Amino acid sequence: MTTGLIPGGQTPDPRPTSALPPHQRSERVGQAAQHADNRSRSSVITARAAASFEPVGRSVATARSFVRDTLQGWGFGDIVDDAVVLTSELVTNAVVHAGTHADVLCLRSDNGVRIEVGDRYPEREIPLQGSAVNMGNLDREGGRGLQLCAAIAGRWGVEYTPTHKQVWFQLDLPERPVGTRAAGPSLPADLLPLADGRVRVAVVQIDRTGAISAWNEDAEELFGYAADQVVGKPLTDLAAWPHTPGTSTGIAEALQLSRWEGSYGIRGADGRVTPVYASHLRVRDTGGEPSTVCLLVRDHERAVLQTPLRVPSSDTTSAIDGPSNDPFEVFIGSPAPDDLDGLLQRTVERARDMLDADSAFLLLATDDETELEVRASTGLPSARQRFARVPVEAGPGRYGSARMPAVHEDLTAVPGAVPLLNGTGMRSVVTVPLKVEGRLTGSLGVAAESPGRYSNEEALRLQFAADRIALAVESARLGELERLRRGSLSFLVEASDLLAGTLDRDQTLALMAQMTVPTLATWCAVYTIADQASEPYLSYVLHEDEELIDGIKSLLSKISPPDPVPTPGARVWPAPAEAAHQAALRTSMRSLGLGEPTTVSSGIGPTLATASAVGGETVVLPLVARNRVIGMLTLGKPTDEHFRQEILELAEDLSRRAALALDNARLYSERTAISQSLQRSLLPPELPEIENVEVEVIYRAAGEGNEVGGDFYDLFPIRDGAYGFAIGDVCGTGPNAAAVTGLARHALRLLAREGLSGPAVLERLNSAILDEGARSRFLTLLYGELRPQEDGSAELKVVCAGHPLPLRLRQDGTVEAAAEPQPLLGVMDDLELYEQTVTLDPGDVLLCVTDGVTERREGTRMLGDDGLADVLTTCTGLTAGAVAARIMRAVERFASDAPSDDMAILAMRVPGIHKD
């Protein structure tokens, strides 16, 4: 049964003869003559090629390559695209949808080509030609083969047998169009090109030796030579050829080309050079002798001969009229992928299909052209190979360098010649360089599992494709690199801001890990080194899956930490992956009963999950600050995918910033600890308990991190039944004032316990302060001795040396000063001080404060002595602790700003003796 045939046309036998091999083969006219005798044809078959393809997916690409190569070899480039499209659809129906072998036969004739595709699934399904052709849903994978034949082919048909189905189509060579070649719109006269009153076209014919053989009248008129003056002379004697630096083409070379068009000059009889525009056409006469016909016009009249410029490839009309002829689009397809990864992936897929390979790969060169980085592959374990690096110069000789094309017929004969293919089963490979302006930018390779698959011809084809895509790949790579650099700069700026915002060591470690995961790695660990004699300590672990953090921390704690090498840059650390694999193996064996007995639920889940998380590549970067290794930053991936070099460089920049921030946090913590320890040594120990006297102290040092300032207090026993108390204020705040504070407090204790009176104690202290010289500071001090009485009262002897006066609160709510002002200390050598005696009755309160309380300000308002007295009047009946707390609360609420001066409050209350 035959349908869809044009009347009068019969098909040749579509089945290849039994002598045909499974791969393509061509027969010349003599070889096919015996078949031509048995067939009635409208044209003579001049060549044939046949091939059989297995029912696997890659056969479709192989069939396309077979038809493309065959037709291009026959010179049928005009119909290659249509033939490839139809063959692809028919072979897809056979090997993918029908699941049988596909037999392809190509027949060449004088006026076209006939292609027959046979399969072994004789299903009868023919579209009706009388109805409108419906191409169906564009997302369908099949069902369009016969419809495309009906739409594209000049003639087509289907033949059935009980075991086979043959679909054939014939594509005729397009006839050369007759008539209009190019046309332009009507233009106003002022827009037409300029020319002389009569346009003269010189016709000059040049023989095979380059000599002039014909010279017409217009040539005589233009250049002033009669024909007999120039015939037989070389045209080079008359031509003034504008040699271009860097090119070797001259007039003699241009005359040998089949067609040439351009400008040069002709030196006339008067010695002047006339610029001309020339169109050369190489022809041969009936005797087979070649010659060149040259049409010449004045250069300003070039519009007479100049070929119209081609329509730009972006013009929508050209896109509709026919497929693009751009070699890049022919190889990659249109539209080309916008992103680099997509472009590289399509490149390796097309390269694999073009050479019917089992795998393909593409590597990009580093900036210094010393290494190549795997960026795309197909048919290879890409997760293991991606971003791996190999040297450009792998060995001596041409085949050891990626700068030259290389063909390896059998990799087993040269182990390690292509490290990327080790252990992949690939035997034969061809690689070609990608170059832009003579600089190596990458390498493209295809490989097959069988040996001897490739020769220099395949290398030339692959090199042609590589040359077409090299510039596009380099442009996309530079664009990606620019985006990465911008993102890296933004990342580092943000990281620097975050790290500079804290001086806490633990928070710095957490920030370091959080900035790394998952931006740079899947998991990370930070080791710290306290000093050069200490071993690295695992300080922080983070994984993008929080449930795996404990497992990774447990695994890393069981292996030796990485060596603290100060050499900059990342280095691979294989220990975590090896330990993870061993742990997973032991767990799996235990679960199968092959190892030590254990319950399956006890460790198989976490152990296997941890092994999967840590089983990839792990790198270590040193944390170096102030010429000392203070730790290591460890980055890891869960798979064998390698880290990109750009990521490692970014991680190295981050590690330098993080190391400095971590070291600053360490120094700050150490200095803070020292400062706080020294400051605590200046504070008095716990206050003694005094019988029948309540004592409460509140102390606030101004400045962040300060525990001691210029204000101080003390309460200490002197002798049996007597206690010394003091509250003072050294000029200024901070460490310098605190130094004088320590001197004053310790001197008071020593002098008071020597049995000296209050005035004598302060006079001796005054001399000690003046002895400090330039470091001395004046000091206001309230000093007194407290002695509880048997009747429940308390006797106080006080000396107020320039200090705010103590206030006494009686039970009836009245407030009065409990002492008189006297000169402050640290200013004069001779002081005449005296002490005053105050008796506190049961229920009375003595309040002593520093000037940080009374001088609390809010704008122009100040709390002052009167304000303090007003607050104290509200404290009747309160305990000493409640009085001190109310005073401090009132001081804090007086102003919204934080206190700028040290404050000390000492409250003493005599509650009286309670009788049962």
Side-chain angles (χ1 to χ4, degrees), residues 749-780:
R749 287 199 173 206
L750 291 173
L751 295 173
R753 287 171 178 172
E754 290 294 325
L756 300 176
S757 63
V761 170
L762 268 59
E763 290 171 1
R764 300 282 183 90
L765 176 60
N766 181 65
S767 299
I769 294 174
L770 293 176
D771 288 343
E772 291 292 313
R775 295 181 299 176
S776 66
R777 291 169 177 262
F778 65 83
L779 168 67
T780 67

Short mmCIF file of all heavy atoms in Angstrom, two decimals, residues 749-780:
data_model
loop_
_atom_site.label_atom_id
_atom_site.label_comp_id
_atom_site.label_asym_id
_atom_site.label_seq_id
_atom_site.Cartn_x
_atom_site.Cartn_y
_atom_site.Cartn_z
N ARG A 749 41.69 53.21 106.21
CA ARG A 749 41.62 52.03 107.07
C ARG A 749 42.89 51.94 107.96
O ARG A 749 42.79 51.69 109.17
CB ARG A 749 41.49 50.78 106.22
CG ARG A 749 40.10 50.62 105.59
CD ARG A 749 39.86 49.20 105.17
NE ARG A 749 38.50 48.99 104.73
CZ ARG A 749 37.88 47.82 104.77
NH1 ARG A 749 38.52 46.77 105.27
NH2 ARG A 749 36.64 47.69 104.35
N LEU A 750 44.03 52.13 107.34
CA LEU A 750 45.27 51.99 108.10
C LEU A 750 45.38 53.06 109.19
O LEU A 750 45.72 52.78 110.36
CB LEU A 750 46.47 52.07 107.16
CG LEU A 750 46.66 50.89 106.19
CD1 LEU A 750 47.80 51.19 105.22
CD2 LEU A 750 46.96 49.61 106.98
N LEU A 751 45.10 54.32 108.84
CA LEU A 751 45.25 55.41 109.79
C LEU A 751 44.20 55.32 110.90
O LEU A 751 44.51 55.60 112.09
CB LEU A 751 45.13 56.75 109.07
CG LEU A 751 46.25 57.04 108.05
CD1 LEU A 751 45.95 58.31 107.28
CD2 LEU A 751 47.60 57.16 108.77
N ALA A 752 42.97 54.94 110.54
CA ALA A 752 41.93 54.85 111.57
C ALA A 752 42.23 53.75 112.57
O ALA A 752 41.98 53.91 113.79
CB ALA A 752 40.57 54.62 110.91
N ARG A 753 42.80 52.66 112.14
CA ARG A 753 43.10 51.56 113.04
C ARG A 753 44.34 51.83 113.89
O ARG A 753 44.68 51.05 114.78
CB ARG A 753 43.26 50.27 112.24
CG ARG A 753 41.91 49.76 111.72
CD ARG A 753 42.05 48.62 110.76
NE ARG A 753 40.75 48.14 110.33
CZ ARG A 753 40.56 47.25 109.36
NH1 ARG A 753 41.61 46.75 108.72
NH2 ARG A 753 39.33 46.88 109.04
N GLU A 754 45.06 52.89 113.57
CA GLU A 754 46.19 53.30 114.43
C GLU A 754 45.71 54.08 115.65
O GLU A 754 46.50 54.50 116.47
CB GLU A 754 47.16 54.16 113.62
CG GLU A 754 47.93 53.40 112.57
CD GLU A 754 48.88 52.39 113.19
OE1 GLU A 754 49.43 52.68 114.27
OE2 GLU A 754 49.06 51.30 112.60
N GLY A 755 44.41 54.30 115.75
CA GLY A 755 43.86 55.00 116.90
C GLY A 755 43.84 56.50 116.76
O GLY A 755 43.59 57.21 117.74
N LEU A 756 44.11 57.03 115.58
CA LEU A 756 44.09 58.47 115.36
C LEU A 756 42.66 58.97 115.33
O LEU A 756 41.73 58.25 114.94
CB LEU A 756 44.81 58.82 114.06
CG LEU A 756 46.29 58.41 113.97
CD1 LEU A 756 46.83 58.74 112.58
CD2 LEU A 756 47.11 59.11 115.06
N SER A 757 42.51 60.23 115.68
CA SER A 757 41.20 60.85 115.61
C SER A 757 40.84 61.14 114.16
O SER A 757 41.70 61.09 113.26
CB SER A 757 41.18 62.15 116.42
OG SER A 757 42.10 63.09 115.85
N GLY A 758 39.58 61.51 113.94
CA GLY A 758 39.14 61.81 112.58
C GLY A 758 39.93 62.90 111.92
O GLY A 758 40.41 62.74 110.78
N PRO A 759 40.12 64.10 112.55
CA PRO A 759 40.91 65.14 111.90
C PRO A 759 42.34 64.70 111.60
O PRO A 759 42.89 65.03 110.53
CB PRO A 759 40.87 66.28 112.91
CG PRO A 759 39.60 66.07 113.66
CD PRO A 759 39.45 64.59 113.78
N ALA A 760 42.96 63.94 112.51
CA ALA A 760 44.34 63.49 112.27
C ALA A 760 44.41 62.53 111.10
O ALA A 760 45.35 62.56 110.29
CB ALA A 760 44.88 62.85 113.54
N VAL A 761 43.39 61.66 110.98
CA VAL A 761 43.36 60.72 109.83
C VAL A 761 43.30 61.49 108.53
O VAL A 761 44.04 61.20 107.57
CB VAL A 761 42.16 59.76 109.97
CG1 VAL A 761 41.97 58.98 108.68
CG2 VAL A 761 42.36 58.83 111.16
N LEU A 762 42.44 62.52 108.42
CA LEU A 762 42.29 63.25 107.16
C LEU A 762 43.51 64.10 106.85
O LEU A 762 43.89 64.29 105.69
CB LEU A 762 41.03 64.12 107.21
CG LEU A 762 39.75 63.46 106.67
CD1 LEU A 762 39.41 62.19 107.42
CD2 LEU A 762 38.56 64.42 106.69
N GLU A 763 44.17 64.63 107.91
CA GLU A 763 45.38 65.42 107.66
C GLU A 763 46.49 64.54 107.10
O GLU A 763 47.23 64.95 106.19
CB GLU A 763 45.82 66.09 108.97
CG GLU A 763 44.87 67.20 109.40
CD GLU A 763 45.19 67.70 110.81
OE1 GLU A 763 46.17 67.18 111.40
OE2 GLU A 763 44.49 68.59 111.29
N ARG A 764 46.64 63.33 107.68
CA ARG A 764 47.64 62.41 107.13
C ARG A 764 47.30 62.02 105.68
O ARG A 764 48.18 61.92 104.83
CB ARG A 764 47.71 61.15 108.00
CG ARG A 764 48.09 61.42 109.46
CD ARG A 764 49.58 61.64 109.61
NE ARG A 764 49.93 61.82 111.01
CZ ARG A 764 50.26 60.83 111.84
NH1 ARG A 764 50.28 59.59 111.38
NH2 ARG A 764 50.58 61.08 113.09
N LEU A 765 46.03 61.79 105.41
CA LEU A 765 45.60 61.44 104.04
C LEU A 765 45.87 62.60 103.09
O LEU A 765 46.30 62.39 101.95
CB LEU A 765 44.11 61.08 104.03
CG LEU A 765 43.50 60.78 102.66
CD1 LEU A 765 44.20 59.60 101.99
CD2 LEU A 765 42.00 60.49 102.78
N ASN A 766 45.69 63.82 103.54
CA ASN A 766 45.95 65.00 102.71
C ASN A 766 47.42 65.05 102.30
O ASN A 766 47.76 65.34 101.14
CB ASN A 766 45.55 66.26 103.47
CG ASN A 766 45.79 67.52 102.65
OD1 ASN A 766 45.17 67.72 101.62
ND2 ASN A 766 46.72 68.35 103.11
N SER A 767 48.30 64.73 103.24
CA SER A 767 49.74 64.73 102.94
C SER A 767 50.06 63.63 101.93
O SER A 767 50.88 63.83 101.00
CB SER A 767 50.54 64.53 104.22
OG SER A 767 50.31 65.57 105.14
N ALA A 768 49.44 62.47 102.08
CA ALA A 768 49.70 61.37 101.15
C ALA A 768 49.26 61.71 99.73
O ALA A 768 49.92 61.38 98.74
CB ALA A 768 49.00 60.10 101.64
N ILE A 769 48.13 62.41 99.62
CA ILE A 769 47.65 62.80 98.28
C ILE A 769 48.59 63.82 97.65
O ILE A 769 48.93 63.74 96.46
CB ILE A 769 46.21 63.36 98.38
CG1 ILE A 769 45.25 62.26 98.83
CG2 ILE A 769 45.77 63.95 97.05
CD1 ILE A 769 43.84 62.76 99.09
N LEU A 770 49.04 64.80 98.44
CA LEU A 770 49.96 65.81 97.89
C LEU A 770 51.29 65.20 97.49
O LEU A 770 51.96 65.71 96.57
CB LEU A 770 50.17 66.92 98.92
CG LEU A 770 48.94 67.78 99.22
CD1 LEU A 770 49.25 68.78 100.34
CD2 LEU A 770 48.48 68.51 97.96
N ASP A 771 51.70 64.12 98.17
CA ASP A 771 52.95 63.46 97.81
C ASP A 771 52.91 62.81 96.43
O ASP A 771 53.95 62.50 95.86
CB ASP A 771 53.29 62.40 98.86
CG ASP A 771 53.73 63.02 100.19
OD1 ASP A 771 54.08 64.22 100.17
OD2 ASP A 771 53.71 62.31 101.22
N GLU A 772 51.72 62.62 95.87
CA GLU A 772 51.60 62.02 94.54
C GLU A 772 52.05 62.97 93.44
O GLU A 772 52.22 62.57 92.30
CB GLU A 772 50.14 61.60 94.27
CG GLU A 772 49.67 60.42 95.12
CD GLU A 772 50.38 59.15 94.75
OE1 GLU A 772 50.48 58.83 93.54
OE2 GLU A 772 50.88 58.46 95.67
N GLY A 773 52.24 64.23 93.77
CA GLY A 773 52.74 65.18 92.79
C GLY A 773 51.75 65.44 91.67
O GLY A 773 50.58 65.78 91.91
N ALA A 774 52.25 65.29 90.43
CA ALA A 774 51.40 65.59 89.27
C ALA A 774 50.21 64.65 89.18
O ALA A 774 49.20 64.97 88.55
CB ALA A 774 52.23 65.51 87.98
N ARG A 775 50.31 63.49 89.78
CA ARG A 775 49.21 62.54 89.72
C ARG A 775 48.15 62.80 90.78
O ARG A 775 47.14 62.10 90.82
CB ARG A 775 49.73 61.12 89.86
CG ARG A 775 50.63 60.68 88.72
CD ARG A 775 51.09 59.25 88.93
NE ARG A 775 51.86 59.11 90.16
CZ ARG A 775 52.31 57.95 90.61
NH1 ARG A 775 52.03 56.83 89.96
NH2 ARG A 775 53.02 57.90 91.72
N SER A 776 48.43 63.76 91.68
CA SER A 776 47.49 64.01 92.77
C SER A 776 46.23 64.68 92.25
O SER A 776 46.25 65.39 91.24
CB SER A 776 48.14 64.89 93.83
OG SER A 776 48.42 66.19 93.30
N ARG A 777 45.15 64.45 92.95
CA ARG A 777 43.87 65.06 92.62
C ARG A 777 43.20 65.49 93.93
O ARG A 777 43.35 64.81 94.95
CB ARG A 777 42.95 64.08 91.87
CG ARG A 777 43.44 63.74 90.47
CD ARG A 777 42.66 62.57 89.88
NE ARG A 777 43.08 62.30 88.51
CZ ARG A 777 42.43 62.74 87.44
NH1 ARG A 777 41.32 63.46 87.59
NH2 ARG A 777 42.86 62.46 86.25
N PHE A 778 42.48 66.59 93.89
CA PHE A 778 41.81 67.00 95.12
C PHE A 778 40.65 66.06 95.39
O PHE A 778 40.08 65.44 94.50
CB PHE A 778 41.38 68.47 95.07
CG PHE A 778 40.32 68.77 94.05
CD1 PHE A 778 38.97 68.56 94.32
CD2 PHE A 778 40.68 69.32 92.82
CE1 PHE A 778 38.01 68.87 93.39
CE2 PHE A 778 39.72 69.63 91.89
CZ PHE A 778 38.37 69.40 92.17
N LEU A 779 40.30 66.00 96.68
CA LEU A 779 39.36 65.00 97.16
C LEU A 779 38.42 65.62 98.17
O LEU A 779 38.85 66.32 99.09
CB LEU A 779 40.13 63.83 97.81
CG LEU A 779 39.35 62.81 98.62
CD1 LEU A 779 38.44 62.01 97.71
CD2 LEU A 779 40.32 61.88 99.35
N THR A 780 37.13 65.41 97.97
CA THR A 780 36.15 65.76 99.00
C THR A 780 35.81 64.49 99.76
O THR A 780 35.63 63.41 99.15
CB THR A 780 34.88 66.35 98.36
OG1 THR A 780 34.21 65.35 97.61
CG2 THR A 780 35.22 67.54 97.48
#
